[in-house]
Amino acid sequence: MRLGVLDIGSNTVHLLLVDAYAGAQPAAYASHKRPLALVRYLDEQGRISAEGQRELIGFIREAHDVARDHGAEDLLAFATSAIREATNGQEVLDAVAEQTAVTLMELPGDREAAVTFFATRRWFGWGAGTILNLDIGGGSFEMAMGDDELPTRNVSVPLGAGRLTRDWLPEDPPTAASVKALRSHIKATLKPVVKSFADLGRPTLVAGTSKTFRSLARIAGAAPSGAGPYVRRTLDRHDLSLWAQRMSAMASADRVNLPGVSDLRARQVLAGALVAEAAMLAFDVEQLQICPWALREGLILRRLDQLVITGAAPSEWRDETQRRLPQELRRPAASAAPGPTA
């Protein structure tokens, strides 16, 4: 089965197509994305402008055509903080529904944290024990912790790297005073949230998801993306603190020369580093592991589980699942009702 996931983020709009088979992890088939920082289209009232809506709707139409042309049988489309926090967010969602063949789902921050945690659990497995997952997006920062497939606690706060850069670091390079003020703001925002996790004890594994954490790990010496997803990548707090200090004195034109930093994210990587550093300090984390799966993969896996549980999986899935079961556990052929395909 080919499944598409359309992610309307704060910095990019991204269509990911995956092939899914019974008993196997989803395999990426194709990716189609474009830089689109919706926050740049916000007016003084926090509304996404008509131009921003045209750009968004144009890409969604394009993504729908790509998914259709590549044989996608199902398409999940969701928006995170970029639309969630726009004052005309519902108006934008309605415009997308009216002008495209796609229904865009608004994903609340706490659910975003939970689904991302779910992807991290699936990646590391039950042997990871209690997981604390941290995810820095463009508009928000998600934290989730637990020892099951879904977290015991999942929280979202408005500490996204793009948002903080726009609101707190207008200069390029930033002034020492603005960096100090941002550090204080991050610390004050995180303090009560981190305190709410105290009763859960210490995690067995701390993971970092999202492009921001991958970039920070790469800056600090982790293997490049070309080495593949199975290379163990970590981020040490000591190294992160050193690089946060260095980047605070660099202009974005200099940061773009750092490994793992794109033109699009050069301005905001410092704010991301400050959030990551503050969170690791607040949770008393010396090192975290980078997880290659995040929100998109979590939504894909949840959708695939739903298809299997409801019996709506394609017939070839059911046949393959039956084939892999021990003989004594297989259903008689007559009782294997076909069910609808998705």
Side-chain angles (χ1 to χ4, degrees):
M1 178 183 184
R2 184 156 296 154
L3 174 65
V5 175
L6 178 57
D7 176 1
I8 308 300
S10 298
N11 295 300
T12 60
V13 281
H14 187 183
L15 171 69
L16 177 65
L17 297 175
V18 299
D19 286 335
Y21 303 93
Q25 68 176 3
Y29 172 79
S31 176
H32 181 68
K33 61 183 176 180
R34 179 195 301 171
L36 180 59
L38 286 175
V39 293
R40 296 180 182 176
Y41 293 96
L42 294 177
D43 61 22
E44 293 181 356
Q45 287 74 44
R47 296 170 56 87
I48 298 175
S49 68
E51 181 184 1
Q53 293 184 51
R54 284 195 298 272
E55 290 287 331
L56 174 63
I57 289 171
F59 179 84
I60 291 175
R61 286 173 174 162
E62 182 181 314
H64 177 268
D65 291 344
V66 170
R68 179 198 59 203
D69 293 345
H70 285 87
E73 300 174 59
D74 198 1
L75 179 64
L76 303 175
F78 68 95
T80 53
S81 63
I83 292 178
R84 182 172 68 226
E85 296 172 6
T87 55
N88 63 336
Q90 187 58 53
E91 175 187 318
V92 175
L93 294 176
D94 292 342
V96 169
E98 292 171 4
Q99 300 180 43
T100 75
V102 175
T103 299
L104 194 58
M105 173 178 62
E106 183 182 4
L107 203 62
D110 57 348
R111 187 179 173 198
E112 185 178 340
V115 175
T116 303
F117 176 93
F118 175 73
T120 302
R121 167 64 71 191
R122 285 289 178 93
W123 180 265
F124 288 110
W126 292 111
T130 301
I131 293 176
L132 169 63
N133 193 73
L134 309 176
D135 185 283
I136 302 172
S140 58
F141 173 43
E142 280 70 48
M143 295 155 277
M145 185 171 170
D147 51 16
D148 293 323
E149 279 210 320
L150 292 175
T152 304
R153 194 147 300 139
N154 42 294
V155 181
S156 177
V157 292
L159 293 179
R163 174 200 297 272
L164 296 180
T165 301
R166 183 181 72 251
D167 295 346
W168 294 83
L169 303 176
E171 307 91 352
D172 187 19
T175 64
S178 63
V179 172
K180 182 178 180 180
L182 177 53
R183 284 184 181 275
S184 297
H185 170 69
I186 294 169
K187 183 177 180 180
T189 303
L190 285 178
K191 185 176 181 180
V193 178
V194 172
K195 186 177 180 180
S196 73
F197 282 75
D199 63 304
L200 301 182
R202 290 193 63 82
T204 312
L205 181 145
V206 181
T209 52
S210 75
K211 177 62 175 177
T212 296
F213 270 115
R214 294 197 298 272
S215 295
L216 293 173
R218 181 74 183 101
I219 291 170
S225 59
Y230 302 113
V231 175
R232 187 175 186 270
R233 296 173 174 87
T234 60
L235 178 61
D236 291 333
R237 191 174 77 199
H238 174 73
D239 295 338
L240 174 61
S241 296
L242 289 175
W243 277 106
Q245 190 65 34
R246 292 170 184 169
M247 287 191 292
S248 66
M250 298 169 67
S252 58
D254 297 316
R255 292 183 209 141
V256 77
N257 296 315
L258 297 173
V261 179
S262 64
D263 288 335
L264 180 65
R265 297 178 185 271
R267 281 284 319 267
Q268 66 184 53
V269 69
L270 170 60
L274 297 178
V275 173
E277 179 188 21
M280 292 178 76
L281 278 167
F283 281 108
D284 191 23
V285 174
E286 293 291 337
Q287 183 186 80
L288 58 76
Q289 290 194 50
I290 304 300
C291 177
W293 280 1
L295 180 60
R296 277 189 297 273
E297 289 78 11
L299 287 169
I300 291 168
L301 293 165
R302 293 289 285 176
R303 178 59 172 154
L304 299 181
D305 284 356
Q306 180 186 38
L307 292 174
V308 171
I309 292 170
T310 61
S315 59
E316 61 268 22
W317 275 28
R318 295 191 299 274
D319 293 344
E320 178 65 9
T321 301
Q322 280 287 94
R323 186 186 67 79
R324 294 187 183 203
L325 284 173
Q327 184 66 42
E328 62 272 16
L329 296 181
R330 297 182 188 179
R331 292 176 298 174
S335 65
T341 49

